[in-house]
Amino acid sequence: MSSEKIDIPGLLSRMPLFSALAPDDLAHMAATTRERRLQKGERLFQRGEQPRGFFLIVWGQVKLAFTSAQGNEKVVEILGPLQSFGEAVMFLDQPYPVLGEALADTLVLHIASQAVFGQIEQDPRFARKLLAGMSIRLHTMVRDVESYALRSSTQRVIGYLLQLADTAPCSPAQGKAEIELPTSKQVIASRLSLTPETLSRIFHELSDVGLISVRGKHIVIHDAARLAEHD
């Protein structure tokens, strides 16, 4: 893993939460921020640990998950660069309800809670931005629960593929897109509340009717409009 020195104030300034901070406030926030470098498969924190701040991903990927009494894992979120997590439990001063694990070599910043609380006390705009970010996360989680409850397995997979395609180069005329799955199919299946076998079956079914082609993690969507209409 690369060990180059990173510009913590510069990285924080790129984050919407910190973009409006005065230079002195940003420097104070950066002074209490620490970097963590993780190898693929390394745990960032365990379920039940006490938070002392929240995290910002610089590069790499982190999954948030929990395990059942039977040892089955449920992936709650898959997070990537410039996404933050852990704000809510920091405010609640409660142990982490999930574990955090790197899905690839990853660099995260840990922003200390005392610096966050101090900034909230002196800058209401900062507090509003923090609340807005947590509200967006809550809205996303509610939408996910609705999806699991009301949409079929195939609809969930199609919705996920189309979400990835939104950020991929595509042909407006043909609706074609090429995407790379961001992590393993096993992790994606857990994120969509499916078994890996069900995810593979749906990929095969979509391939058989000519809507997608699958080669490892590389997927070609041949017609996004037709795929959106399929179930």
Side-chain angles (χ1 to χ4, degrees), residues 91-110:
F91 281 111
L92 290 170
D93 195 27
Q94 294 291 320
Y96 289 113
V98 294
L99 62 86
E101 181 180 301
L103 291 174
D105 289 350
T106 298
L107 172 63
V108 300
L109 299 180
H110 180 260

Side-chain angles (χ1 to χ4, degrees), residues 59-208:
W59 41 258
Q61 203 172 53
V62 172
K63 72 175 178 183
L64 305 181
F66 58 84
T67 54
S68 69
Q70 294 74 33
N72 299 318
E73 183 178 83
K74 165 58 183 166
V75 176
V76 178
E77 277 192 285
I78 301 171
L79 301 158
L82 293 186
Q83 288 188 282
S84 62
F85 58 97
E87 301 96 326
V89 289
M90 175 186 70
F91 281 111
L92 290 170
D93 195 27
Q94 294 291 320
Y96 289 113
V98 294
L99 62 86
E101 181 180 301
L103 291 174
D105 289 350
T106 298
L107 172 63
V108 300
L109 299 180
H110 180 260
I111 297 99
S113 55
Q114 64 265 29
V116 175
F117 296 152
Q119 190 62 38
I120 287 174
E121 290 177 0
Q122 67 182 29
D123 187 352
R125 295 174 302 170
F126 179 79
R128 286 195 295 269
K129 283 190 174 183
L130 198 56
L131 285 170
M134 290 192 291
S135 297
I136 290 170
R137 294 278 295 282
L138 177 60
H139 176 74
T140 300
M141 292 182 70
V142 170
R143 186 179 59 193
D144 286 347
V145 171
E146 180 183 28
S147 173
Y148 302 150
L150 302 178
R151 302 176 75 187
S152 70
S153 299
T154 299
Q155 286 174 329
R156 274 179 259 162
V157 173
I158 289 173
Y160 180 75
L161 294 177
L162 292 175
Q163 186 178 33
L164 292 179
D166 283 342
T167 59
C170 64
S171 166
Q174 298 179 357
K176 182 177 180 179
E178 297 191 25
I179 59 177
E180 293 288 332
L181 297 179
T183 186
S184 71
K185 293 175 183 175
Q186 182 174 357
V187 170
I188 291 170
S190 178
R191 177 69 182 87
L192 298 176
S193 291
L194 305 172
T195 65
E197 293 78 15
T198 299
L199 179 63
S200 294
R201 175 180 57 77
I202 293 170
F203 278 165
H204 282 301
E205 290 174 351
L206 296 176
S207 298
D208 288 344

